[in-house]
Short mmCIF file of all heavy atoms in Angstrom, two decimals:
data_model
loop_
_atom_site.label_atom_id
_atom_site.label_comp_id
_atom_site.label_asym_id
_atom_site.label_seq_id
_atom_site.Cartn_x
_atom_site.Cartn_y
_atom_site.Cartn_z
N ASP A 60 -5.61 11.63 13.15
CA ASP A 60 -5.91 10.42 13.93
C ASP A 60 -7.26 10.51 14.43
O ASP A 60 -8.03 9.46 14.45
CB ASP A 60 -4.89 10.23 15.00
CG ASP A 60 -3.47 9.85 14.48
OD1 ASP A 60 -3.39 9.74 13.19
OD2 ASP A 60 -2.53 9.63 15.22
N GLU A 61 -7.63 11.57 15.06
CA GLU A 61 -8.98 11.67 15.61
C GLU A 61 -10.08 11.56 14.51
O GLU A 61 -11.11 10.94 14.79
CB GLU A 61 -9.15 13.04 16.36
CG GLU A 61 -8.30 13.14 17.71
CD GLU A 61 -8.62 12.01 18.66
OE1 GLU A 61 -9.91 11.69 18.88
OE2 GLU A 61 -7.67 11.40 19.20
N ILE A 64 -10.33 7.88 13.66
CA ILE A 64 -10.94 7.08 14.68
C ILE A 64 -12.47 7.37 14.74
O ILE A 64 -13.34 6.46 14.80
CB ILE A 64 -10.37 7.35 16.02
CG1 ILE A 64 -8.93 6.76 16.08
CG2 ILE A 64 -11.17 6.65 17.25
CD1 ILE A 64 -8.05 7.06 17.33
N LEU A 67 -13.96 5.41 11.77
CA LEU A 67 -14.01 3.96 12.16
C LEU A 67 -15.32 3.82 13.02
O LEU A 67 -15.97 2.83 12.89
CB LEU A 67 -12.79 3.52 12.95
CG LEU A 67 -11.53 3.43 12.02
CD1 LEU A 67 -10.33 3.10 12.94
CD2 LEU A 67 -11.55 2.30 10.97
N ALA A 68 -15.48 4.65 14.02
CA ALA A 68 -16.56 4.51 15.04
C ALA A 68 -17.96 4.76 14.37
O ALA A 68 -18.93 3.99 14.58
CB ALA A 68 -16.35 5.44 16.18
N VAL A 73 -15.52 -1.13 5.97
CA VAL A 73 -14.95 -2.51 5.80
C VAL A 73 -14.03 -2.46 4.56
O VAL A 73 -13.96 -1.45 3.76
CB VAL A 73 -16.01 -3.69 5.64
CG1 VAL A 73 -16.73 -3.73 6.96
CG2 VAL A 73 -16.91 -3.34 4.48
N LEU A 77 -11.64 0.46 5.00
CA LEU A 77 -11.04 0.22 6.31
C LEU A 77 -9.57 0.23 6.21
O LEU A 77 -8.84 0.83 7.03
CB LEU A 77 -11.56 -1.09 6.89
CG LEU A 77 -10.84 -1.60 8.09
CD1 LEU A 77 -11.05 -0.63 9.24
CD2 LEU A 77 -11.39 -3.02 8.51
N ARG A 78 -9.01 -0.47 5.18
CA ARG A 78 -7.56 -0.46 5.04
C ARG A 78 -6.95 0.86 4.74
O ARG A 78 -5.80 1.24 5.17
CB ARG A 78 -7.19 -1.50 3.97
CG ARG A 78 -7.26 -2.95 4.54
CD ARG A 78 -6.73 -3.96 3.58
NE ARG A 78 -7.04 -5.28 4.25
CZ ARG A 78 -6.20 -5.92 5.10
NH1 ARG A 78 -4.99 -5.37 5.44
NH2 ARG A 78 -6.53 -7.07 5.70
N VAL A 81 -6.89 2.81 8.21
CA VAL A 81 -5.78 2.21 9.06
C VAL A 81 -4.41 2.58 8.34
O VAL A 81 -3.44 3.02 9.09
CB VAL A 81 -5.92 0.64 9.24
CG1 VAL A 81 -4.63 0.13 10.00
CG2 VAL A 81 -7.19 0.40 10.04
N LEU A 84 -3.45 6.13 9.33
CA LEU A 84 -3.00 6.23 10.69
C LEU A 84 -1.49 5.91 10.69
O LEU A 84 -0.64 6.58 11.30
CB LEU A 84 -3.64 5.22 11.61
CG LEU A 84 -5.07 5.58 12.03
CD1 LEU A 84 -5.72 4.40 12.66
CD2 LEU A 84 -5.11 6.75 12.99
N ARG A 85 -1.08 4.91 9.91
CA ARG A 85 0.35 4.51 9.82
C ARG A 85 1.23 5.51 9.10
O ARG A 85 2.21 5.92 9.55
CB ARG A 85 0.41 3.21 8.96
CG ARG A 85 0.10 2.04 9.76
CD ARG A 85 1.32 1.64 10.58
NE ARG A 85 0.86 0.78 11.84
CZ ARG A 85 0.34 -0.51 11.65
NH1 ARG A 85 0.38 -1.03 10.47
NH2 ARG A 85 0.01 -1.08 12.67
N SER A 87 0.47 8.73 8.65
CA SER A 87 0.65 10.03 9.48
C SER A 87 1.69 9.77 10.44
O SER A 87 2.49 10.75 10.78
CB SER A 87 -0.71 10.34 10.12
OG SER A 87 -0.97 9.59 11.21
N ARG A 92 7.15 11.42 12.14
CA ARG A 92 8.47 11.12 12.54
C ARG A 92 9.38 11.78 11.53
O ARG A 92 10.57 12.21 12.00
CB ARG A 92 8.49 9.65 12.54
CG ARG A 92 9.82 9.06 13.06
CD ARG A 92 10.06 9.26 14.54
NE ARG A 92 11.50 9.21 14.81
CZ ARG A 92 12.21 9.93 15.56
NH1 ARG A 92 11.64 10.92 16.25
NH2 ARG A 92 13.39 9.82 15.75
N HIS A 99 15.42 17.45 14.28
CA HIS A 99 16.69 17.17 14.85
C HIS A 99 17.85 17.71 14.08
O HIS A 99 18.79 18.13 14.61
CB HIS A 99 16.85 15.61 14.83
CG HIS A 99 16.04 14.90 15.82
ND1 HIS A 99 15.50 15.48 16.91
CD2 HIS A 99 15.55 13.63 15.75
CE1 HIS A 99 14.72 14.56 17.50
NE2 HIS A 99 14.81 13.42 16.92
N GLN A 102 18.25 21.23 15.02
CA GLN A 102 18.74 21.36 16.43
C GLN A 102 20.31 21.22 16.26
O GLN A 102 20.96 21.86 17.09
CB GLN A 102 18.15 20.21 17.31
CG GLN A 102 16.82 20.73 17.80
CD GLN A 102 15.92 19.63 18.37
OE1 GLN A 102 16.23 18.44 18.04
NE2 GLN A 102 15.08 19.89 19.30
N PHE A 165 30.16 7.44 6.57
CA PHE A 165 30.78 6.80 7.72
C PHE A 165 32.29 6.37 7.43
O PHE A 165 33.15 6.55 8.33
CB PHE A 165 29.91 5.61 8.14
CG PHE A 165 28.75 5.93 8.91
CD1 PHE A 165 28.41 7.18 9.15
CD2 PHE A 165 28.04 4.94 9.56
CE1 PHE A 165 27.21 7.63 9.91
CE2 PHE A 165 26.88 5.26 10.40
CZ PHE A 165 26.46 6.62 10.56
N ILE A 168 34.58 9.52 7.50
CA ILE A 168 34.82 10.09 8.80
C ILE A 168 35.55 9.13 9.71
O ILE A 168 36.11 9.51 10.77
CB ILE A 168 33.63 10.70 9.53
CG1 ILE A 168 32.48 9.72 9.89
CG2 ILE A 168 32.96 11.81 8.75
CD1 ILE A 168 31.21 10.33 10.44
N ALA A 169 35.52 7.78 9.36
CA ALA A 169 36.32 6.88 10.14
C ALA A 169 37.79 6.84 9.86
O ALA A 169 38.60 6.28 10.53
CB ALA A 169 35.67 5.44 10.02
N ALA A 177 36.46 15.35 17.49
CA ALA A 177 35.40 14.28 17.81
C ALA A 177 34.01 14.91 17.70
O ALA A 177 32.98 14.16 17.37
CB ALA A 177 35.73 13.74 19.25
N GLN A 178 33.78 16.19 18.18
CA GLN A 178 32.42 16.71 18.10
C GLN A 178 31.92 16.76 16.65
O GLN A 178 30.69 16.42 16.45
CB GLN A 178 32.55 18.14 18.75
CG GLN A 178 31.10 18.81 18.68
CD GLN A 178 30.19 18.11 19.66
OE1 GLN A 178 30.46 18.01 20.85
NE2 GLN A 178 29.15 17.61 19.10
N THR A 180 32.82 14.69 14.33
CA THR A 180 32.50 13.26 14.05
C THR A 180 31.10 12.74 14.66
O THR A 180 30.36 12.18 13.86
CB THR A 180 33.49 12.30 14.58
OG1 THR A 180 34.84 12.70 14.02
CG2 THR A 180 33.30 10.88 14.29
N ILE A 181 30.85 13.23 15.90
CA ILE A 181 29.51 12.99 16.43
C ILE A 181 28.44 13.56 15.58
O ILE A 181 27.37 12.93 15.18
CB ILE A 181 29.37 13.44 17.92
CG1 ILE A 181 30.46 12.82 18.75
CG2 ILE A 181 28.03 13.33 18.42
CD1 ILE A 181 30.60 13.44 20.20
N THR A 184 27.94 11.88 12.21
CA THR A 184 27.36 10.59 12.38
C THR A 184 25.73 10.77 12.48
O THR A 184 24.98 10.07 11.82
CB THR A 184 27.87 9.89 13.68
OG1 THR A 184 29.26 9.76 13.49
CG2 THR A 184 27.15 8.48 13.82
N LEU A 185 25.41 11.65 13.38
CA LEU A 185 23.96 11.87 13.61
C LEU A 185 23.30 12.48 12.45
O LEU A 185 22.16 11.99 12.02
CB LEU A 185 23.80 12.84 14.85
CG LEU A 185 24.21 12.21 16.20
CD1 LEU A 185 24.02 13.34 17.29
CD2 LEU A 185 23.31 11.03 16.62
N ARG A 188 22.78 9.77 9.81
CA ARG A 188 21.78 8.94 10.25
C ARG A 188 20.34 9.54 10.24
O ARG A 188 19.42 8.85 9.71
CB ARG A 188 22.10 8.51 11.81
CG ARG A 188 20.97 7.78 12.43
CD ARG A 188 21.06 6.27 12.23
NE ARG A 188 19.87 5.61 12.85
CZ ARG A 188 19.40 4.50 12.39
NH1 ARG A 188 19.87 3.84 11.32
NH2 ARG A 188 18.43 3.88 13.08
N TYR A 189 20.10 10.81 10.63
CA TYR A 189 18.84 11.46 10.58
C TYR A 189 18.40 11.45 9.13
O TYR A 189 17.24 11.26 8.69
CB TYR A 189 18.94 12.80 11.09
CG TYR A 189 19.21 12.95 12.54
CD1 TYR A 189 19.84 14.08 13.06
CD2 TYR A 189 18.93 12.02 13.48
CE1 TYR A 189 20.09 14.18 14.42
CE2 TYR A 189 19.19 12.08 14.83
CZ TYR A 189 19.77 13.21 15.33
OH TYR A 189 20.04 13.30 16.60
N ARG A 192 17.32 7.97 7.88
CA ARG A 192 16.06 7.58 8.48
C ARG A 192 14.99 8.36 7.80
O ARG A 192 13.81 7.87 7.72
CB ARG A 192 16.07 7.83 10.01
CG ARG A 192 16.91 6.89 10.74
CD ARG A 192 16.34 5.50 10.86
NE ARG A 192 15.01 5.45 11.38
CZ ARG A 192 14.06 4.56 11.10
NH1 ARG A 192 14.46 3.52 10.30
NH2 ARG A 192 12.90 4.52 11.64
N TYR A 206 0.64 -1.02 -1.15
CA TYR A 206 -0.22 -2.19 -0.64
C TYR A 206 -1.67 -1.84 -0.76
O TYR A 206 -2.54 -2.69 -1.13
CB TYR A 206 0.15 -2.43 0.87
CG TYR A 206 -0.68 -3.46 1.57
CD1 TYR A 206 -0.64 -4.74 1.14
CD2 TYR A 206 -1.62 -3.02 2.49
CE1 TYR A 206 -1.40 -5.71 1.82
CE2 TYR A 206 -2.40 -3.96 3.15
CZ TYR A 206 -2.34 -5.27 2.78
OH TYR A 206 -3.16 -6.20 3.36
N HIS A 220 22.40 -0.74 6.45
CA HIS A 220 22.90 -1.61 7.52
C HIS A 220 23.79 -0.96 8.58
O HIS A 220 24.17 -1.60 9.53
CB HIS A 220 23.59 -2.92 7.07
CG HIS A 220 22.71 -3.84 6.29
ND1 HIS A 220 21.64 -4.45 6.93
CD2 HIS A 220 22.57 -4.07 4.93
CE1 HIS A 220 20.95 -5.18 6.06
NE2 HIS A 220 21.45 -4.96 4.93
N SER A 221 23.98 0.33 8.41
CA SER A 221 24.85 1.04 9.36
C SER A 221 23.90 1.56 10.50
O SER A 221 22.81 1.86 10.36
CB SER A 221 25.54 2.26 8.75
OG SER A 221 26.51 1.75 7.91
N ASP B 60 -1.48 -7.03 13.60
CA ASP B 60 -2.14 -5.99 12.70
C ASP B 60 -3.23 -6.59 11.94
O ASP B 60 -4.35 -5.96 11.87
CB ASP B 60 -1.11 -5.33 11.73
CG ASP B 60 -0.11 -4.42 12.55
OD1 ASP B 60 -0.24 -4.33 13.76
OD2 ASP B 60 0.69 -3.86 11.88
N GLU B 61 -3.04 -7.71 11.35
CA GLU B 61 -4.15 -8.45 10.59
C GLU B 61 -5.32 -8.75 11.51
O GLU B 61 -6.44 -8.56 11.11
CB GLU B 61 -3.60 -9.65 9.91
CG GLU B 61 -2.67 -9.40 8.73
CD GLU B 61 -3.19 -8.48 7.69
OE1 GLU B 61 -4.47 -8.70 7.37
OE2 GLU B 61 -2.55 -7.41 7.33
N ILE B 64 -7.15 -5.58 12.24
CA ILE B 64 -8.04 -5.14 11.09
C ILE B 64 -9.23 -5.95 10.97
O ILE B 64 -10.38 -5.53 10.69
CB ILE B 64 -7.03 -5.00 9.88
CG1 ILE B 64 -6.14 -3.86 10.04
CG2 ILE B 64 -7.96 -4.79 8.60
CD1 ILE B 64 -5.08 -3.78 8.92
N LEU B 67 -11.76 -5.04 13.55
CA LEU B 67 -12.38 -3.68 13.07
C LEU B 67 -13.45 -3.96 12.02
O LEU B 67 -14.51 -3.45 12.11
CB LEU B 67 -11.43 -2.70 12.53
CG LEU B 67 -10.33 -2.11 13.58
CD1 LEU B 67 -9.28 -1.25 12.84
CD2 LEU B 67 -11.14 -1.21 14.53
N ALA B 68 -13.15 -4.80 11.09
CA ALA B 68 -14.07 -5.08 9.95
C ALA B 68 -15.24 -5.83 10.29
O ALA B 68 -16.38 -5.68 9.96
CB ALA B 68 -13.25 -5.83 8.85
N VAL B 73 -16.83 0.23 18.86
CA VAL B 73 -16.88 1.62 19.10
C VAL B 73 -16.21 1.95 20.47
O VAL B 73 -15.86 1.12 21.18
CB VAL B 73 -18.25 2.18 19.07
CG1 VAL B 73 -18.83 2.10 17.70
CG2 VAL B 73 -19.17 1.54 20.07
N LEU B 77 -12.71 0.27 20.33
CA LEU B 77 -12.20 0.81 19.17
C LEU B 77 -10.77 1.47 19.53
O LEU B 77 -9.79 1.14 18.82
CB LEU B 77 -13.10 1.87 18.54
CG LEU B 77 -12.52 2.62 17.35
CD1 LEU B 77 -12.04 1.72 16.21
CD2 LEU B 77 -13.54 3.72 16.90
N ARG B 78 -10.72 2.20 20.52
CA ARG B 78 -9.49 2.94 20.89
C ARG B 78 -8.38 1.85 21.37
O ARG B 78 -7.22 2.05 21.08
CB ARG B 78 -9.68 4.00 21.96
CG ARG B 78 -10.34 5.25 21.36
CD ARG B 78 -10.42 6.42 22.38
NE ARG B 78 -11.19 7.55 21.66
CZ ARG B 78 -10.57 8.52 20.86
NH1 ARG B 78 -9.24 8.46 20.86
NH2 ARG B 78 -11.28 9.36 20.26
N VAL B 81 -7.13 0.42 17.97
CA VAL B 81 -6.18 1.40 17.28
C VAL B 81 -4.87 1.59 18.09
O VAL B 81 -3.84 1.65 17.57
CB VAL B 81 -6.95 2.72 17.02
CG1 VAL B 81 -5.95 3.67 16.46
CG2 VAL B 81 -8.12 2.51 16.11
N LEU B 84 -2.53 -1.25 17.48
CA LEU B 84 -1.79 -1.06 16.22
C LEU B 84 -0.55 -0.11 16.47
O LEU B 84 0.53 -0.41 15.91
CB LEU B 84 -2.60 -0.42 15.19
CG LEU B 84 -3.72 -1.31 14.59
CD1 LEU B 84 -4.74 -0.52 13.79
CD2 LEU B 84 -3.18 -2.36 13.63
N ARG B 85 -0.75 0.97 17.18
CA ARG B 85 0.34 1.93 17.41
C ARG B 85 1.37 1.28 18.28
O ARG B 85 2.60 1.40 18.04
CB ARG B 85 -0.17 3.15 18.27
CG ARG B 85 -0.93 4.20 17.48
CD ARG B 85 0.14 4.95 16.73
NE ARG B 85 -0.45 5.45 15.58
CZ ARG B 85 -1.34 6.44 15.56
NH1 ARG B 85 -1.93 6.92 16.65
NH2 ARG B 85 -1.90 6.95 14.41
N SER B 87 2.13 -1.91 18.71
CA SER B 87 2.89 -3.01 18.07
C SER B 87 3.95 -2.34 17.18
O SER B 87 5.04 -2.86 17.08
CB SER B 87 1.97 -3.85 17.24
OG SER B 87 1.51 -3.28 16.10
N ARG B 92 9.67 -1.49 16.40
CA ARG B 92 10.82 -0.55 16.20
C ARG B 92 11.88 -0.71 17.25
O ARG B 92 13.05 -0.64 17.12
CB ARG B 92 10.19 0.84 16.08
CG ARG B 92 11.27 1.90 15.74
CD ARG B 92 11.72 1.86 14.40
NE ARG B 92 12.95 2.51 14.30
CZ ARG B 92 14.07 2.10 13.66
NH1 ARG B 92 13.99 0.99 12.92
NH2 ARG B 92 15.19 2.75 13.61
N HIS B 99 19.95 -3.42 15.70
CA HIS B 99 21.08 -2.44 15.24
C HIS B 99 22.24 -2.57 16.19
O HIS B 99 23.39 -2.47 15.77
CB HIS B 99 20.57 -0.95 15.31
CG HIS B 99 19.58 -0.64 14.21
ND1 HIS B 99 19.60 -1.27 12.95
CD2 HIS B 99 18.62 0.38 14.03
CE1 HIS B 99 18.59 -0.81 12.18
NE2 HIS B 99 17.98 0.15 12.88
N GLN B 102 24.14 -5.53 15.42
CA GLN B 102 24.92 -5.28 14.16
C GLN B 102 26.27 -4.57 14.47
O GLN B 102 27.32 -4.77 13.80
CB GLN B 102 24.10 -4.58 13.17
CG GLN B 102 23.07 -5.57 12.47
CD GLN B 102 21.96 -4.85 11.68
OE1 GLN B 102 21.56 -3.74 12.02
NE2 GLN B 102 21.43 -5.65 10.70
N PHE B 165 27.81 11.79 24.97
CA PHE B 165 28.17 12.70 23.93
C PHE B 165 29.22 13.67 24.39
O PHE B 165 30.28 14.00 23.79
CB PHE B 165 27.00 13.38 23.45
CG PHE B 165 26.20 12.63 22.43
CD1 PHE B 165 26.44 11.28 22.24
CD2 PHE B 165 25.25 13.21 21.68
CE1 PHE B 165 25.73 10.50 21.26
CE2 PHE B 165 24.46 12.47 20.76
CZ PHE B 165 24.78 11.13 20.63
N ILE B 168 32.72 11.81 24.80
CA ILE B 168 33.41 11.44 23.55
C ILE B 168 33.70 12.71 22.76
O ILE B 168 34.61 12.63 21.83
CB ILE B 168 32.65 10.35 22.71
CG1 ILE B 168 31.37 10.89 22.22
CG2 ILE B 168 32.52 9.06 23.46
CD1 ILE B 168 30.52 9.86 21.43
N ALA B 169 33.22 13.84 23.02
CA ALA B 169 33.50 15.08 22.26
C ALA B 169 34.76 15.68 22.96
O ALA B 169 35.38 16.58 22.24
CB ALA B 169 32.37 16.04 22.47
N TRP B 173 39.85 12.43 24.59
CA TRP B 173 38.99 11.24 24.69
C TRP B 173 39.88 9.99 24.14
O TRP B 173 39.82 8.93 24.67
CB TRP B 173 37.70 11.46 23.83
CG TRP B 173 37.10 10.35 22.94
CD1 TRP B 173 37.09 10.38 21.58
CD2 TRP B 173 36.47 9.19 23.30
NE1 TRP B 173 36.39 9.28 21.10
CE2 TRP B 173 35.95 8.52 22.21
CE3 TRP B 173 36.17 8.58 24.59
CZ2 TRP B 173 35.28 7.31 22.15
CZ3 TRP B 173 35.41 7.38 24.63
CH2 TRP B 173 35.02 6.76 23.45
N ALA B 177 38.26 7.63 15.44
CA ALA B 177 37.01 8.20 14.86
C ALA B 177 35.94 7.08 14.71
O ALA B 177 34.72 7.21 15.03
CB ALA B 177 37.23 8.84 13.52
N GLN B 178 36.40 5.80 14.39
CA GLN B 178 35.48 4.73 14.24
C GLN B 178 34.74 4.49 15.56
O GLN B 178 33.49 4.27 15.59
CB GLN B 178 36.09 3.43 13.80
CG GLN B 178 35.23 2.14 13.57
CD GLN B 178 34.26 2.61 12.47
OE1 GLN B 178 34.60 2.77 11.28
NE2 GLN B 178 32.94 2.51 12.77
N THR B 180 34.29 6.59 18.03
CA THR B 180 33.45 7.81 18.20
C THR B 180 32.10 7.60 17.46
O THR B 180 31.01 7.78 17.96
CB THR B 180 34.07 9.09 17.69
OG1 THR B 180 35.24 9.29 18.46
CG2 THR B 180 33.18 10.30 17.95
N ILE B 181 32.20 7.08 16.20
CA ILE B 181 30.96 6.89 15.33
C ILE B 181 30.15 5.78 16.07
O ILE B 181 28.90 5.93 16.30
CB ILE B 181 31.36 6.47 14.00
CG1 ILE B 181 32.09 7.48 13.13
CG2 ILE B 181 30.09 5.96 13.14
CD1 ILE B 181 32.56 6.99 11.91
N THR B 184 28.49 6.92 19.30
CA THR B 184 27.36 7.93 19.03
C THR B 184 26.13 7.10 18.64
O THR B 184 25.03 7.38 19.12
CB THR B 184 27.83 8.80 17.80
OG1 THR B 184 28.92 9.64 18.20
CG2 THR B 184 26.72 9.81 17.51
N LEU B 185 26.32 6.12 17.73
CA LEU B 185 25.18 5.34 17.29
C LEU B 185 24.61 4.51 18.48
O LEU B 185 23.34 4.44 18.59
CB LEU B 185 25.51 4.44 16.09
CG LEU B 185 25.91 5.11 14.76
CD1 LEU B 185 26.32 4.20 13.77
CD2 LEU B 185 24.63 5.94 14.31
N ARG B 188 22.65 6.59 20.86
CA ARG B 188 21.47 7.06 20.15
C ARG B 188 20.41 5.93 20.19
O ARG B 188 19.23 5.99 20.36
CB ARG B 188 21.74 7.46 18.69
CG ARG B 188 20.54 7.85 17.91
CD ARG B 188 19.99 9.14 18.16
NE ARG B 188 18.71 9.30 17.33
CZ ARG B 188 17.74 10.06 17.64
NH1 ARG B 188 17.72 10.85 18.74
NH2 ARG B 188 16.66 10.22 16.76
N TYR B 189 20.86 4.66 19.81
CA TYR B 189 19.97 3.49 19.73
C TYR B 189 19.29 3.29 21.01
O TYR B 189 18.09 2.92 21.17
CB TYR B 189 20.66 2.24 19.17
CG TYR B 189 21.18 2.28 17.78
CD1 TYR B 189 22.27 1.58 17.37
CD2 TYR B 189 20.65 3.07 16.77
CE1 TYR B 189 22.78 1.68 16.10
CE2 TYR B 189 21.08 3.20 15.48
CZ TYR B 189 22.19 2.40 15.14
OH TYR B 189 22.73 2.44 13.83
N ARG B 192 16.81 5.94 21.94
CA ARG B 192 15.54 5.72 21.12
C ARG B 192 14.80 4.54 21.65
O ARG B 192 13.56 4.59 21.68
CB ARG B 192 15.86 5.54 19.73
CG ARG B 192 16.33 6.84 18.93
CD ARG B 192 15.20 7.79 18.85
NE ARG B 192 14.09 7.35 18.05
CZ ARG B 192 12.88 7.76 18.15
NH1 ARG B 192 12.51 8.77 19.04
NH2 ARG B 192 11.80 7.26 17.51
N TYR B 206 -3.25 6.71 28.22
CA TYR B 206 -4.41 7.35 27.51
C TYR B 206 -5.62 6.34 27.52
O TYR B 206 -6.78 6.84 27.81
CB TYR B 206 -3.98 7.78 26.15
CG TYR B 206 -5.11 8.31 25.24
CD1 TYR B 206 -5.63 9.60 25.53
CD2 TYR B 206 -5.67 7.66 24.21
CE1 TYR B 206 -6.77 10.17 24.77
CE2 TYR B 206 -6.67 8.15 23.43
CZ TYR B 206 -7.17 9.40 23.75
OH TYR B 206 -8.20 9.95 23.04
N HIS B 220 17.36 15.93 23.65
CA HIS B 220 17.59 16.96 22.67
C HIS B 220 18.74 16.69 21.82
O HIS B 220 19.03 17.43 20.83
CB HIS B 220 17.65 18.31 23.33
CG HIS B 220 16.30 18.76 23.88
ND1 HIS B 220 15.22 18.88 23.03
CD2 HIS B 220 15.89 18.91 25.08
CE1 HIS B 220 14.10 19.22 23.76
NE2 HIS B 220 14.52 19.23 24.99
N SER B 221 19.58 15.66 22.10
CA SER B 221 20.74 15.34 21.27
C SER B 221 20.33 14.59 19.99
O SER B 221 19.37 13.80 20.08
CB SER B 221 21.73 14.57 22.01
OG SER B 221 22.31 15.37 22.97
#
Side-chain angles (χ1 to χ4, degrees):
Chain A
D60 287 4
E61 289 303 316
I64 291 172
L67 290 171
V73 294
L77 172 60
R78 283 187 184 271
V81 173
L84 286 167
R85 282 281 157 68
S87 77
R92 186 69 202 137
H99 289 337
Q102 281 164 333
F165 280 10
I168 62 184
Q178 185 62 61
T180 301
I181 297 171
T184 301
L185 291 174
R188 171 82 184 155
Y189 296 151
R192 288 290 301 155
Y206 177 68
H220 290 295
S221 289
Chain B
D60 286 3
E61 288 304 316
I64 291 172
L67 291 172
V73 294
L77 171 61
R78 284 188 184 267
V81 173
L84 287 167
R85 280 283 156 70
S87 78
R92 185 69 201 137
H99 289 337
Q102 282 165 333
F165 280 10
I168 62 183
W173 143 249
Q178 184 62 60
T180 301
I181 297 171
T184 301
L185 292 174
R188 170 84 184 152
Y189 296 152
R192 288 289 302 154
Y206 177 69
H220 290 295
S221 289

